[in-house]
């Protein structure tokens, strides 16, 4: 059975709320999810638009992998953003 769009957004909202409470990897993942959601595209359509495989978008968004900084910078640039890195104590 196909899920309704409301179910998809509800699940993404729960993911975003959980990610806000976690560490830096989750914060990066959260920003990548927000970047995609801003486009209004599914992971599959977003991946195609950005010349990625859908599973790569999923991996980036789940925050559990060590994604290359260059991949994140490239993805941000393709969507009109730049990445800023800040060191704090």
């Amino acid at each position: 059975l196909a899920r309704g769009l409301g179910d998809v957004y509800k699940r993404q909202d729960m993911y975003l709320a959980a990610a806000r409470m976690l560490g830096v990897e989750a914060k990066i993942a959260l920003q990548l999810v927000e970047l995609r959601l801003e486009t209004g595209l599914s992971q599959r359509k977003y991946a195609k638009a950005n010349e990625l495989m859908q599973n790569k978008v999923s991996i980036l968004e789940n925050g559990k992998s060590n994604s290359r900084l260059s991949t994140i910078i490239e993805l941000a640039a393709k969507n009109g953003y730049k990445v800023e890195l800040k060191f704090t104590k």
Side-chain angles (χ1 to χ4, degrees):
L1 293 172
R3 285 186 250 194
L5 195 54
D7 291 338
V8 171
Y9 287 120
K10 186 177 183 180
R11 196 172 67 242
Q12 288 175 338
D13 287 343
M14 289 176 11
Y15 169 79
L16 294 175
R20 285 187 181 99
M21 295 184 281
L22 301 174
V24 70
E25 293 88 356
K27 288 179 182 179
I28 292 169
L30 171 64
Q31 288 187 307
L32 292 169
V33 172
E34 289 174 341
L35 185 70
R36 178 179 60 79
L37 291 177
E38 187 177 283
T39 69
L41 298 175
S42 66
Q43 280 187 350
R44 187 179 318 144
K45 289 180 181 177
Y46 184 76
K48 186 173 183 176
N50 286 281
E51 300 171 348
L52 295 170
M53 300 293 290
Q54 184 274 327
N55 68 327
K56 181 65 173 179
V57 173
S58 178
I59 289 167
L60 289 167
E61 290 185 359
N62 77 27
K64 293 182 180 178
S65 71
N66 276 336
S67 299
R68 294 174 144 209
L69 182 57
S70 60
T71 301
I72 295 168
I73 291 169
E74 183 180 340
L75 189 56
K78 285 182 177 182
N79 288 273
Y81 288 91
K82 64 180 183 174
V83 174
E84 294 182 358
L85 182 63
K86 180 175 136 182
F87 294 95
T88 58
K89 284 190 174 189

